[in-house]
């Protein structure tokens, strides 16, 4: 049996896979760059199993490879494969939910501290030689911020990341309020989160942090109306997806200084050029979509994705499968290939 791997994967996890495959072809995208869809199709054309992470898997890749019966997609949300087509073809797809949830939760907490303590403007002023001005002790006064204890943190979306942010905040003695139309009170009470309306999250919070998915329901769900509810001393944090917010309204609001600031990791167009308006607004922290970019994520995604794949190869139902309707047909393909 052949496997084509285009994701980051450590030797430990390659060794775990080796008893199941005669031939392992590993292309490391983070070192060599992503393959074009055509190169990906050609390189994977004999594979029975694919492990991928950042590639867009074309329909040709699925259609032109009759051997293919499983894809382990090292992503939380599978947006890179035509799931309906894969299901029709008997290709089972396994995902890796929460693979980078710790990483994003860490960055969210860092954003709260960086924003409330004016870390970026303080560093920039110091680097520009502005420690003192006219002989006065100026830096200390100009960059006074706020402590986190006693503040209200509002979380929109209480899934893998939202819950981990709440867990981390327990040590900061904050009040945590949250909104998620799909969670039950019993499920989130242990995280110390008080469920309130979405309007109250925006109205009451000192930090509003977005952790909801992007889908047809959430696209452009927030904008001027919600920003207008926020306190003038509050910060907005978005590490989720840019399109949940109406960008022009957010930019106008931040430019006119009606809230204290924002910290943003995700954008409507990526990559951005140096003229992007949010770069030039004081008290806005922008990072280049690095929420999930830690080396530890490689191990997390392998642990979740390789274990699911091994479960499938050993005849069990994988823990993380997004198209169970494909299971029967993919097993037939798998058994046919083993009997050859
Ligand atoms: P998740 O699926 O575990 O949780 C999402 C939560 O949002 C769920 O509990 C769901 O019920 C809730 N939700 C759905 N619709 C909602 C709505 N209209 N209002 C409020 N809540 C709603 O997802 P996650 O792993 O916690 O990821 C959260 C977000 O973070 C996603 O948008 C994901 O794309 C993003 N993300 C960003 C990075 C990054 O690099 N910045 C990395 C990983 C994930």
């Amino acid at each position: 049996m052949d496997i084509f791997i285009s994701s980051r994967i450590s030797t430990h996890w390659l060794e775990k896979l080796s008893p199941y495959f005669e031939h392992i072809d590993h292309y490391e995208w983070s070192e060599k760059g992503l393959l074009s869809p055509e190169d990906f199709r050609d390189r994977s054309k004999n594979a029975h199993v694919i492990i991928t992470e950042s590639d867009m898997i074309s329909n040709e890749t699925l259609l032109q490879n009759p051997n293919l019966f499983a894809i382990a997609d090292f992503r939380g949300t599978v947006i890179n494969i035509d799931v309906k087509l894969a299901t029709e073809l008997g290709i089972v797809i396994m995902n890796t939910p929460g693979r980078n949830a710790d990483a994003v939760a860490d960055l969210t907490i860092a954003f709260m501290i960086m924003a409330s303590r004016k870390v970026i403007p303080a560093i920039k002023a110091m680097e520009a030689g502005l420690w003192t001005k006219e002989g006065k002790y100026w830096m200390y006064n100009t960059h006074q911020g706020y402590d986190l204890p006693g503040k209200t943190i509002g979380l929109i979306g209480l899934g893998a990341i939202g819950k981990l942010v709440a867990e981390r905040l327990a040590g900061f003695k904050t009040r945590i309020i949250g909104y998620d139309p799909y969670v039950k009170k019993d499920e989130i009470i242990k995280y110390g989160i008080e469920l309130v309306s979405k309007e109250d999250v925006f109205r009451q919070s000192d930090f509003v942090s977005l952790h909801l998915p992007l889908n047809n329901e959430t696209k452009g769900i927030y904008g001027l109306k919600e920003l207008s509810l926020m306190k003038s001393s509050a910060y907005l944090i978005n590490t989720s997806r840019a399109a949940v917010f109406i960008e022009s309204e957010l930019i106008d609001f931040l430019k006119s200084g009606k809230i204290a600031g924002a910290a943003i990791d995700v954008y409507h167009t990526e990559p951005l050029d140096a003229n992007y308006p949010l770069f030039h607004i004081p008290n806005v922290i922008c990072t280049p979509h690095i929420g999930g970019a830690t080396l530890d994520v490689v191990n997390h995604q392998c642990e979740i994705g390789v274990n699911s794949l091994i479960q499938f190869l050993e005849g069990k139902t994988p823990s993380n499968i997004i198209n169970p309707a494909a299971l029967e047909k993919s097993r037939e393909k798998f058994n046919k290939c083993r009997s050859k």
Side-chain angles (χ1 to χ4, degrees), residues 121 124-133 136 138-139 142-143:
K124 282 188 181 163
M126 183 180 67
E127 287 175 352
L130 299 173
W131 194 305
T132 58
K133 202 173 174 188
K136 293 185 189 138
W138 171 81
M139 198 65 120
T142 310
H143 295 99

Side-chain angles (χ1 to χ4, degrees), residues 197-205 226 229-231:
S197 68
K198 63 183 163 193
E199 287 78 16
D200 274 339
V201 171
F202 283 93
R203 205 176 278 131
Q204 295 182 24
S205 300
E226 289 71 25
L229 296 173
M230 288 176 73
K231 302 191 226 177

Side-chain angles (χ1 to χ4, degrees), residues 249-307:
E249 296 185 350
L250 175 62
I251 291 172
D252 286 350
F253 210 86
L254 285 165
K255 270 187 174 163
S256 55
K258 289 184 183 145
I259 56 173
I264 313 278
D265 186 48
V266 286
Y267 307 92
H268 284 249
T269 313
E270 296 180 7
L272 292 169
D273 67 45
N275 297 320
Y276 182 63
L278 281 179
F279 290 161
H280 308 290
I281 306 174
N283 293 342
V284 177
I285 299 167
C286 291
T287 49
H289 204 150
I290 53 163
T294 70
L295 294 171
D296 293 308
V297 167
V298 180
N299 189 49
H300 297 326
Q301 66 185 19
C302 290
E303 191 171 354
I304 305 167
V306 173
N307 280 335

Side-chain angles (χ1 to χ4, degrees), residues 77 98 100-101 104 156-162 179-183 210-215 217-218 221-222 239-241 265-266 289-293:
T77 312
N100 47 20
V104 180
I156 303 268
L158 304 172
I161 297 171
Y179 170 76
D180 186 324
Y182 302 107
V183 291
L210 305 179
H211 303 290
L212 68 167
L214 177 62
N215 53 37
E217 177 209 338
T218 61
I221 193 174
Y222 298 125
T239 58
S240 63
R241 284 292 174 264
D265 186 48
V266 286
H289 204 150
I290 53 163

Side-chain angles (χ1 to χ4, degrees), residues 33-91:
L34 286 175
L35 289 169
S36 69
E38 295 73 30
D39 287 343
F40 190 97
R41 177 200 60 205
D42 294 346
R43 186 125 175 199
S44 65
K45 70 175 191 288
N46 297 318
H48 299 86
V49 174
I50 290 174
I51 297 183
T52 186
E53 179 179 1
S54 296
D55 304 275
M56 295 305 294
I57 310 282
S58 68
N59 285 355
E60 286 68 40
T61 299
L62 305 180
L63 287 163
Q64 293 175 19
N65 179 353
N67 290 338
L68 188 62
F69 61 77
I71 301 177
D73 197 7
F74 284 180
R75 286 170 172 261
T77 312
V78 174
I79 51 158
N80 54 336
I81 305 170
D82 182 336
V83 178
K84 188 168 171 281
L85 178 65
T87 307
E88 280 163 19
L89 294 169
I91 302 165

